[in-house]
């Protein structure tokens, strides 16, 4: 039975899933940094190892912080369309702007129609020029492992709310 007017499918962000991959990097970076500091007594090689460990830590934590907008907004599906979390913030894509959803393991890629532009009525949140080639080409990625609802629930909601108007391929 298709959902009714006013109903909303929400997949909240799973903050623990975002943090999980960060822990091994932090531990590994700390071990490499400590090893480099210990080797510092042997010679300059220790300084290189310590700096490499700190650089790896800084890069991973920097990437985590840079993706904070994706972690702050949930995936929402309703009769109007899909609201996706992106690096720029949430993006609303009405059903008539979507060409297909490609299932690539746990990742869903939302592809828009070639005629969609930043000024297409109803489209919001994808105003950066570099987002459009991704949306119309490989598709805007959504890692379903980072949400509280699983991939199959999300695909079922996409089919129901769009009334099977978009192609879902895998």
């Amino acid at each position: 039975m298709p959902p009714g007017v006013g109903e909303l499918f929400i997949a909240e962000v799973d903050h623990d899933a975002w943090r999980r991959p960060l822990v091994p990097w932090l531990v590994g970076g700390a071990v490499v940094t400590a090893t480099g500091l210990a080797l510092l007594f042997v010679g300059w090689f220790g300084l290189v190892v310590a700096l490499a460990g700190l650089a790896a830590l800084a890069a991973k934590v920097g990437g985590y912080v840079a993706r904070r907008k994706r972690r702050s907004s949930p995936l929402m599906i309703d009769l109007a369309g899909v609201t996706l979390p992106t690096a720029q913030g949430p993006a609303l894509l009405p059903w008539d702007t979507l060409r297909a959803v490609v299932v690539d393991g746990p990742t869903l890629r939302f592809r828009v129609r070639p005629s969609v532009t930043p000024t297409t009525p109803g489209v919001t949140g994808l105003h950066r020029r570099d987002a459009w080639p991704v949306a119309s080409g490989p598709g805007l990625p959504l890692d379903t492992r980072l949400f509280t609802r699983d991939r199959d629930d999300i695909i079922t909601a996409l089919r129901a709310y769009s009334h099977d108007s978009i192609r879902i391929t895998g």
Side-chain angles (χ1 to χ4, degrees):
M1 177 162 99
V5 176
E7 291 182 21
L8 182 65
F9 176 89
I10 298 177
E12 294 290 339
V13 175
D14 184 357
H15 293 284
D16 290 337
W18 277 92
R19 287 186 206 110
R20 236 175 265 127
L22 191 62
V23 172
W25 279 90
L26 293 175
V27 171
V31 168
V32 169
T33 302
T35 303
L37 291 175
L39 289 175
L40 189 58
F41 293 112
V42 177
W44 64 270
F45 179 72
L47 181 61
V48 172
V49 171
L51 290 176
L54 288 174
L57 276 173
K60 193 64 175 179
V61 171
Y64 179 80
V65 170
R67 291 187 301 270
R68 69 186 172 279
K69 286 188 181 178
R70 275 193 196 152
R71 291 190 310 272
S72 65
S73 57
L75 167 70
M76 294 185 291
I77 304 171
D78 62 10
L79 293 175
V82 180
T83 303
L84 297 168
T86 68
Q88 300 93 291
L92 172 62
L93 298 174
W95 293 118
D96 60 349
T97 63
L98 283 171
R99 176 174 37 145
V101 176
V102 178
V103 180
D104 183 17
T107 303
L108 300 179
R109 298 190 180 279
F110 291 82
R111 292 183 177 169
V112 297
R113 297 183 188 282
S115 60
V116 173
T117 66
T119 60
T120 301
V123 174
T124 59
L126 290 179
H127 51 276
R128 285 187 22 197
R129 288 189 315 183
D130 60 340
W132 291 104
V134 173
S136 61
L140 295 169
L142 179 85
D143 189 347
T144 58
R145 295 173 296 185
L146 303 175
F147 293 92
T148 56
R149 309 287 286 268
D150 67 355
R151 184 191 73 180
D152 294 334
D153 287 345
I154 294 171
I155 292 171
T156 301
L158 288 168
R159 283 194 174 112
Y161 280 91
S162 72
H163 303 292
D164 281 330
S165 67
I166 58 169
R167 214 178 39 191
I168 297 177
T169 62

